[in-house]
Amino acid sequence: MVIEVVILKDVEKTLSERGISVDNVREVIEHGETTGEKIYLPAENKFLAKKVIGKATFYTMYSPLEGKFTLHSAYAHRMSMKEPITIVTAETTDWVCYKCNEKLVRSNIDMEYLGITRAAPGISCPKCKLSFIEEYVAGKTLVVAESLLEKKRA
Ligand SMILES: [Zn+2]
């Protein structure tokens, strides 16, 4: 499968700030497209996929259009998700699981990093439990937690 990714200038800047390569992006989109493990916003033709590559989990938000994939954003976290995922409320989000056609709900996800576990808010499919961390959580909460835990160990 050839994944042709369209990356606009401002998104390119985000990628370099976050240390995410175009190869990472392509790999995550390919994973989402081939496995069907992705979620989407029906009103916006936007998909979110994730993949663990090396020691981090990478996320891409993209729109398929005429055989190409326009990237809206990409982010990553080094903490790893632990099972089981706890669904905290029946509060649904606008995201829909591509495989189950179910609306994702808010969840509590145990995230492990350097042997320490911290709970983080996530979104999960109530049926298959496919779970995602949203960009604002990865960019704020998890980045802070990761650097604190790194300092603690140092
Ligand atoms: Zn599902």
Side-chain angles (χ1 to χ4, degrees):
M1 189 172 189
V2 181
I3 301 287
E4 195 177 329
V5 187
V6 179
I7 302 174
L8 300 174
K9 273 274 172 287
D10 55 333
V11 178
E12 204 175 276
K13 193 166 164 255
T14 307
L15 291 186
S16 71
E17 281 167 5
R18 294 177 177 172
I20 299 170
S21 71
V22 178
D23 279 344
N24 291 153
V25 168
R26 210 176 279 128
E27 203 176 327
V28 177
I29 294 177
E30 184 175 21
H31 180 76
E33 292 300 304
T34 54
T35 61
E37 285 175 13
K38 55 184 178 180
I39 58 177
Y40 67 102
L41 291 171
E44 298 180 45
N45 186 36
K46 269 186 189 168
F47 287 82
L48 182 65
K50 63 164 188 173
K51 191 186 182 195
V52 177
I53 303 170
K55 286 184 175 169
T57 307
F58 292 83
Y59 294 73
T60 55
M61 197 184 291
Y62 60 94
S63 294
L65 191 69
E66 292 164 359
K68 293 179 188 174
F69 299 89
T70 301
L71 186 70
H72 299 293
S73 192
Y75 54 98
H77 56 70
R78 280 164 286 165
M79 304 183 95
S80 59
M81 278 186 193
K82 283 176 68 177
E83 309 277 342
I85 309 287
T86 316
I87 289 170
V88 276
T89 62
E91 191 195 334
T92 55
T93 67
D94 290 332
W95 290 102
V96 177
C97 177
Y98 180 79
K99 278 190 169 168
C100 308
N101 207 26
E102 293 272 345
K103 275 196 164 184
L104 273 74
V105 296
R106 301 272 156 209
S107 58
N108 246 329
I109 303 174
D110 277 341
M111 306 291 291
E112 189 182 350
Y113 188 54
L114 304 175
I116 294 169
T117 301
R118 294 269 184 277
I123 54 175
S124 303
C125 172
K127 205 169 172 187
C128 71
K129 300 277 166 78
L130 182 66
S131 297
F132 291 80
I133 297 290
E134 289 174 284
E135 185 168 13
Y136 72 98
V137 176
K140 294 200 175 116
T141 319
L142 296 194
V143 164
V144 171
E146 284 166 358
S147 66
L148 284 176
L149 293 174
E150 281 162 9
K151 271 185 205 141
K152 206 177 226 179
R153 201 171 76 155

